[in-house]
């Protein structure tokens, strides 16, 4: 599976990124994959390569690029539950610095770059994300309804907040189909219900599930949260979504 590291021009400098795509000498639908809180690292490169095997050009930007290229901090090969709070605490200043304004500027740059790559076909793209990346995927789709036809978020956080720009308040702008796969401890039942009500009221095609027996981070094989059966369920939901929105017809 061909892959490469890239530099994406943004209004705030170069963003380093990883891309994977099929080696068929053809053009393929584009997928913008947003990282989780722990950042761009081998497990996400593997995820991109696995998705690319299904016929997609997958771009994974370093969301923390303003602070330097990935990796910004030395992560252990396996993030065990006993060290995860310390890892997250180390990264939280980077998360907090990534304001909505910055996220939207970056989304403009990422989509412009993705859709102009020679390996990417014309047509709509998908925005998918893990953990905080689910929020970024929703913001990207709401800001670019003419380009983003599919949104998927897994073990998402902060989709429903009290903020005026909470993702659930943006759904009326979506034209994308949406899937959210929640861990059992991701959101309160009230929060999930509010998200469903917002999506339904906006007429957005969406599915949402709480994956049984999961904790936050269940797709990440370099953590104690990893759940193989839930990861397979995630593929069983993600691949049909991409097929019907990006390739069917």
């Amino acid at each position: 599976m061909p892959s490469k590291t890239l530099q994406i021009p943004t209004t705030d400098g170069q963003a380093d990124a990883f891309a994977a795509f099929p080696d068929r000498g053809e053009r393929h639908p584009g997928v913008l994959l947003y990282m989780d809180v722990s950042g761009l690292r081998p497990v996400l490169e593997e995820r991109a390569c696995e998705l690319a095997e299904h016929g997609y050009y997958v771009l994974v930007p370093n969301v923390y690029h303003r602070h330097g290229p990935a990796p910004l901090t030395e992560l252990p090969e396996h993030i065990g539950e006993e060290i995860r709070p310390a890892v997250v605490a180390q990264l939280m200043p980077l998360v907090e610095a990534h304001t909505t304004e910055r996220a939207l500027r970056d989304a403009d740059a990422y989509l412009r770059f993705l859709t102009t790559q020679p390996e990417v076909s014309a047509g709509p793209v998908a925005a998918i994300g893990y953990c905080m990346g689910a929020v970024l995927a929703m913001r990207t789709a709401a800001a670019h309804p003419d380009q983003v036809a599919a949104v998927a978020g897994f073990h998402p956080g902060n989709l429903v907040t009290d903020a005026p720009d909470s993702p659930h308040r943006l759904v009326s702008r979506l034209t994308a189909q949406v899937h959210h796969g929640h861990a059992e401890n991701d959101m309160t039942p009230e929060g999930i219900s509010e998200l469903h009500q917002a999506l339904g009221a906006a007429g957005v095609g969406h599915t949402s599930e709480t994956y049984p027996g999961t904790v936050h981070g269940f797709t990440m094989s370099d953590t104690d949260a990893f759940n193989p059966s839930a990861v397979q369920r995630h593929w069983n939901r993600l691949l049909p979504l991409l097929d019907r929105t990006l390739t069917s017809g």
Side-chain angles (χ1 to χ4, degrees):
M1 183 62 55
S3 63
K4 55 187 174 183
T5 56
L6 300 163
Q7 295 292 321
I8 303 174
T10 79
T11 56
D12 298 316
Q14 299 287 315
D16 53 307
F18 178 85
F21 48 93
D23 186 17
R24 300 176 192 163
E26 302 170 347
R27 301 173 74 192
H28 307 277
V31 176
L32 176 58
L33 191 161
Y34 282 112
M35 65 192 208
D36 65 344
V37 67
S38 296
L40 183 52
R41 61 198 192 283
V43 68
L44 288 175
E45 295 176 359
E46 293 166 8
R47 178 70 41 80
C49 289
E50 188 169 357
L51 182 52
E53 289 177 356
H54 293 275
Y56 301 99
Y57 182 107
V58 187
L59 180 68
V60 192
N62 170 25
V63 169
Y64 302 144
H65 65 86
R66 291 172 181 83
H67 307 275
L72 284 170
T73 185
E74 187 174 345
L75 293 173
E77 288 188 9
H78 186 84
I79 304 171
E81 195 56 37
E82 72 285 354
I83 62 170
R84 187 178 184 278
V87 170
V88 172
Q90 190 175 9
L91 293 168
M92 278 311 296
L94 306 183
V95 176
E96 292 166 357
H98 197 62
T99 61
T100 298
E101 182 183 2
R102 286 182 168 185
L104 293 176
R105 290 205 305 269
D106 281 353
D108 292 346
Y110 298 157
L111 288 178
R112 188 181 310 113
F113 184 89
L114 174 62
T115 57
T116 56
Q117 294 309 292
E119 301 90 353
V120 176
S121 57
V125 302
I128 70 175
Y130 301 85
C131 179
M132 71 174 193
V135 171
L136 298 177
M138 287 281 282
R139 294 199 187 284
T140 299
H144 297 272
D146 57 330
Q147 290 183 285
V148 181
V151 174
F154 299 94
H155 42 87
N158 298 323
L159 291 177
V160 176
T161 74
D162 293 331
D165 64 349
S166 172
H168 82 289
R169 303 185 198 280
L170 308 176
V171 297
S172 63
R173 306 176 192 173
L174 294 176
T175 59
Q177 294 185 34
V178 178
H179 175 74
H180 290 125
H182 303 277
E184 290 186 344
N185 64 342
D186 276 332
M187 295 176 64
T188 65
E190 294 77 15
I192 292 176
S193 176
E194 190 169 355
L195 177 61
H196 288 179
Q197 289 176 12
L199 289 163
V204 176
H206 69 283
T207 56
S208 177
E209 295 177 278
T210 298
Y211 292 11
T214 56
V215 296
H216 184 72
F218 60 78
T219 67
M220 299 300 163
S221 59
D222 60 351
T223 75
D224 281 354
F226 182 61
N227 184 313
S229 63
V231 171
Q232 185 56 53
R233 190 185 189 106
H234 134 283
W235 286 121
N236 292 345
R237 301 301 185 263
L238 177 59
L239 293 175
L241 172 66
L242 299 181
D243 180 61
R244 67 177 177 264
T245 55
L246 303 188
T247 65
S248 294

